[in-house]
């Protein structure tokens, strides 16, 4: 849905009037391991015109209006929720059971139409290396790294977290935000397992010019429009395979001559 909104607004002649590409990475956690689903995205600063032969660049330091993005995303998201509710594909438990009723769900959804939704857009990166550095921080991370684990004792598991709601300025703000919390083992595992995605789920997706189905042709057209050549990728050096078994005395690799399988006999316990 986020990619659809980006492609729609960018394709509007009032804003950019171009076909863009986007790479989105799903994150499901907050600093305290709470459930906080959101996506990080990288978008080129422009796109191909309707003729597919010329490049339309965005204004320096400005890509798309965030207010327009946020309001279209709000509308599409709410419409999606309504569609899922009508199809009975939403489940509600506990105190939220009243939302199973269509009228109760509509009343709960109404205030969200008036609340401003926030789309956060950062300034352009300094170059390709900065883009790769940014992506590398988000592509294959898990919900918490070992460096944030402080202690594990009879009280539970203590971890560092960042409280983004803490107020303050300068260094004082940083000190207020960085905190520690101790969770019972069961609660720590519950929070961690919230962010284990289903098997086969793709956390990184590409859209528009970067979509897997047409990426090669789209990137070739973009390079032609920008009059740039693709950099030659150096051939990878052959990997040096480390031997699985090494002799403790001489350090040379051990060669497997034969594997003798155990006979299929019943394993008895030691004699009494």
């Amino acid at each position: 849905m986020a990619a659809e909104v980006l492609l729609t607004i960018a394709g509007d002649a009032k804003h950019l009037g171009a076909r863009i590409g986007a790479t989105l990475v799903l994150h499901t956690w907050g600093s305290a391991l709470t459930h906080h689903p959101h996506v990080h995205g990288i978008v080129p600063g422009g796109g191909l015109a309707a003729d597919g032969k010329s490049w339309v660049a965005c204004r320096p330091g400005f890509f798309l209006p965030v207010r327009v993005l946020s309001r279209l995303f709000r509308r599409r998201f709410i419409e999606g929720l309504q569609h899922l509710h009508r199809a009975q594909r939403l489940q509600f438990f506990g105190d939220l059971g009243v939302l199973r009723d269509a009228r109760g769900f509509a009343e709960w959804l109404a205030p969200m139409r008036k609340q401003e939704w926030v789309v956060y857009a950062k300034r352009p990166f300094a170059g390709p290396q900065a883009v790769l550095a940014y992506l590398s921080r988000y592509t294959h991370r898990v919900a918490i790294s070992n460096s944030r684990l402080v202690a594990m004792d009879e009280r539970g598991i203590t971890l560092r977290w960042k409280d983004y709601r803490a107020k303050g300025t300068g260094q004082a703000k940083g000190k207020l935000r960085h905190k520690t919390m101790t969770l019972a083992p069961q609660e720590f595992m519950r929070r961690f397992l919230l962010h284990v995605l289903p098997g086969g789920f793709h956390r990184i997706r590409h859209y528009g010019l970067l979509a897997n189905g047409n990426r090669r042709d789209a990137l070739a057209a973009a390079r032609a429009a920008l009059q740039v050549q693709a950099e030659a990728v150096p051939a990878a050096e052959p990997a040096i395979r480390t031997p699985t078994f090494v002799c403790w005395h001489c350090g040379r690799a051990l060669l497997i001559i034969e594997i003798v399988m155990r006979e299929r006999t019943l394993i008895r316990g030691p004699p009494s």
Side-chain angles (χ1 to χ4, degrees):
M1 189 173 295
E4 178 191 350
V5 170
L6 282 169
L7 296 175
T8 300
I9 299 301
D12 191 335
K14 294 187 298 183
H15 301 295
L16 187 65
R19 181 180 172 221
I20 65 170
T23 294
L24 302 182
V25 183
L26 172 67
H27 265 194
T28 61
W29 58 84
S31 182
L33 297 183
T34 50
H35 194 217
H36 177 53
H38 59 285
V39 292
H40 295 264
I42 286 185
V43 186
L48 286 174
D51 59 7
K53 298 180 180 179
S54 57
W55 182 263
V56 181
C58 64
R59 284 183 281 166
F62 178 85
F63 183 57
L64 295 173
V66 293
R67 177 167 290 186
V68 177
L69 287 171
S70 63
R71 290 185 175 177
L72 180 59
F73 182 77
R74 177 183 63 186
R75 179 163 66 86
R76 293 289 175 85
F77 195 92
I78 291 176
E79 289 174 353
L81 284 177
Q82 290 176 317
H83 175 74
L84 292 173
H85 192 273
R86 287 194 295 268
Q88 298 183 350
R89 294 177 59 187
L90 297 178
Q91 297 183 10
F92 303 99
F93 305 94
D95 296 337
L96 297 178
V98 294
L99 299 182
R100 297 190 189 99
D101 178 67
R103 183 174 180 179
F105 185 75
E107 292 176 352
W108 174 79
L109 209 56
M112 297 185 185
R113 300 180 184 275
K114 300 179 181 179
Q115 186 174 356
E116 288 291 342
W117 291 32
V118 178
V119 174
Y120 177 64
K122 297 180 69 172
R123 65 182 61 186
F125 290 102
Q129 296 301 325
V131 173
L132 293 176
Y134 174 86
L135 267 179
S136 64
R137 294 198 297 268
Y138 293 98
T139 52
H140 294 86
R141 291 176 62 181
V142 293
I144 187 171
S145 60
N146 291 340
S147 60
R148 289 178 52 203
L149 298 175
V150 178
M152 182 176 65
D153 49 33
E154 64 279 358
R155 297 184 304 130
I157 299 172
T158 304
L159 58 99
R160 296 188 184 92
W161 69 292
K162 187 180 291 186
D163 184 2
Y164 289 97
R165 296 184 179 182
K167 304 297 182 181
T169 57
Q171 294 182 351
K173 182 178 181 180
K175 292 181 179 179
L176 289 172
R177 280 189 169 185
H178 290 85
K179 302 177 179 179
T180 60
M181 69 165 57
T182 301
L183 300 173
Q186 296 87 343
E187 176 61 15
F188 177 83
M189 291 304 300
R190 186 192 71 84
R191 294 193 187 190
F192 184 82
L193 293 176
L194 279 174
H195 314 295
V196 178
L197 298 176
F201 189 94
H202 293 280
R203 199 157 62 92
I204 305 172
R205 294 179 181 269
H206 310 280
Y207 301 89
L209 299 180
L210 302 178
N212 295 332
N214 65 337
R215 179 165 51 204
R216 177 176 297 180
D217 294 339
L219 291 182
R223 292 189 183 101
L226 292 168
Q227 297 181 355
V228 297
Q229 295 292 331
E231 294 184 4
V233 179
E237 296 181 359
I240 301 176
R241 185 174 180 181
T242 303
T244 306
F245 302 101
V246 178
C247 178
W248 292 359
H249 298 285
C250 66
R252 294 183 180 179
L254 297 177
L255 301 179
I256 300 177
I257 305 300
E258 183 181 1
I259 298 177
V260 180
M261 301 300 295
R262 185 179 62 193
E263 295 182 3
R264 294 183 179 181
T265 57
L266 295 176
I267 301 176
R268 298 181 302 172
S272 56

